[in-house]
Amino acid sequence: PTFREIVDLMSKCPEKPRAIESCIQNLCSRGCLTKVKKDIWTFPVFTTEFCDLLEAELTNFEQSGLPAARPNTMNRFGVLLRELGMCEELLDPFVAECLNPVAVRLLCNHTEALDSYRPFTVKYEATAEGDRDLNLHYDNSEVTLNVNIGGQWTGGEVTFFGLGGPAYGSDDHSPYPVKLNRGHGALHSGRELHQAEPVAEGKRHNLILWCRSSGVRNGECPMCWRVPNLVPTNMFAHEGFTGPP
């Protein structure tokens, strides 16, 4: 099974509950799609060849010694892929043409449309200097795609604990650990509480897409769950919010 099969079927699927459920059952029966729990899905995204090329390019950049901003306040190791020029010809069409039609059908309660995103990589490594794990958190996104792009390790699963925010009291908070094969991804709501378990041996390398839906976050901030007070800024700092035309 390939991601292209998922995209092709989902793109043609009417955005109606019965049609979407039929598409999902079709993909699950063919082994293209796996439901971990409500609103958490895993599926193949990239080929091994693509992962090899991406990791090689990231290694070249790291060895160049060029300055790089870190992806967020939680991860010390990884890069912002927009700084490497990987968005306009690669990730922009991937999100708009491939991921968006899948997300609006699998996670229709969390997104209207994906109209911006923050792409970055993270590394976890079983060394004294590396990031071994990541504490419980939720993301600054409406929808997150987390893809295993490389590494060999033990431990290090991502464990999900249910929705945070206003829905916390009504959701299932049983732990659901997920371990992804290389090239496979987990698609989930940004509000899903999750943590990276400690890597016991080796290292793992992941590509993360924090996907934003301005139609949702303009009405409720994903970090504080209040109506946001928007101020003008530029395209590099808008965090997925949009103002009136």
Side-chain angles (χ1 to χ4, degrees):
T2 66
F3 187 51
R4 174 53 60 187
E5 294 179 62
I6 300 172
V7 173
D8 287 346
L9 186 59
M10 284 295 185
S11 297
K12 298 172 185 175
C13 180
E15 293 185 46
K16 298 180 179 179
R18 287 187 179 179
I20 292 172
E21 184 59 33
S22 177
C23 289
I24 289 173
Q25 290 178 358
N26 184 338
L27 290 167
C28 289
S29 68
R30 291 157 51 190
C32 298
L33 188 65
T34 300
K35 183 176 182 178
V36 177
K37 57 167 287 190
K38 184 177 184 293
D39 291 343
I40 301 177
W41 303 89
T42 63
F43 45 81
V45 182
F46 300 134
T47 64
T48 299
E49 292 77 12
F50 177 85
C51 292
D52 287 341
L53 291 170
L54 179 58
E55 283 208 294
E57 187 64 24
L58 293 171
T59 298
N60 289 337
F61 176 74
E62 291 171 357
Q63 293 176 348
S64 72
L66 292 170
R70 292 310 170 199
N72 52 60
T73 58
M74 301 180 290
N75 297 99
R76 296 178 297 157
F77 301 95
V79 295
L80 292 168
L81 298 183
R82 195 171 296 278
E83 291 187 349
L84 275 63
M86 290 189 177
C87 290
E88 185 173 350
E89 299 295 330
L90 178 62
L91 292 176
D92 284 359
F94 172 79
V95 172
E97 299 169 17
C98 299
L99 188 56
N100 182 61
V102 174
V104 297
R105 290 166 175 82
L106 292 183
L107 298 175
C108 58
N109 292 330
H110 303 283
T111 179
E112 293 182 3
L114 306 180
D115 49 12
S116 66
Y117 65 100
R118 181 179 179 86
F120 56 92
T121 62
V122 295
K123 282 186 176 182
Y124 297 98
E125 191 167 3
T127 64
E129 299 79 18
D131 287 336
R132 297 177 65 99
D133 55 17
L134 186 61
N135 290 335
L136 189 68
H137 65 284
Y138 51 87
D139 297 335
N140 185 0
S141 68
E142 275 65 60
V143 171
T144 294
L145 178 66
N146 181 339
V147 185
N148 168 14
I149 59 172
Q152 295 289 334
W153 70 93
T154 58
E157 298 89 353
V158 179
T159 304
F160 295 94
F161 292 91
L163 296 177
Y168 182 85
S170 60
D171 203 32
D172 175 14
H173 293 283
S174 304
Y176 286 83
V178 173
K179 189 165 186 176
L180 300 168
N181 293 327
R182 193 179 189 207
H184 286 228
L187 186 73
H188 61 88
S189 165
R191 292 190 177 193
E192 184 76 26
L193 293 165
H194 57 288
Q195 65 188 31
E197 304 295 347
V199 172
E201 293 181 333
K203 61 182 178 181
R204 72 176 177 93
H205 199 185
N206 288 62
L207 166 66
I208 311 293
L209 297 178
W210 279 358
C211 299
R212 280 76 182 262
S213 176
S214 62
V216 175
R217 68 173 44 209
N218 283 351
E220 186 177 61
C221 171
M223 305 309 289
C224 68
W225 308 299
R226 299 172 183 170
V227 177
N229 178 25
L230 302 180
V231 297
T233 183
N234 59 49
M235 64 176 291
F236 300 106
H238 62 64
E239 290 295 300
F241 296 97
T242 58

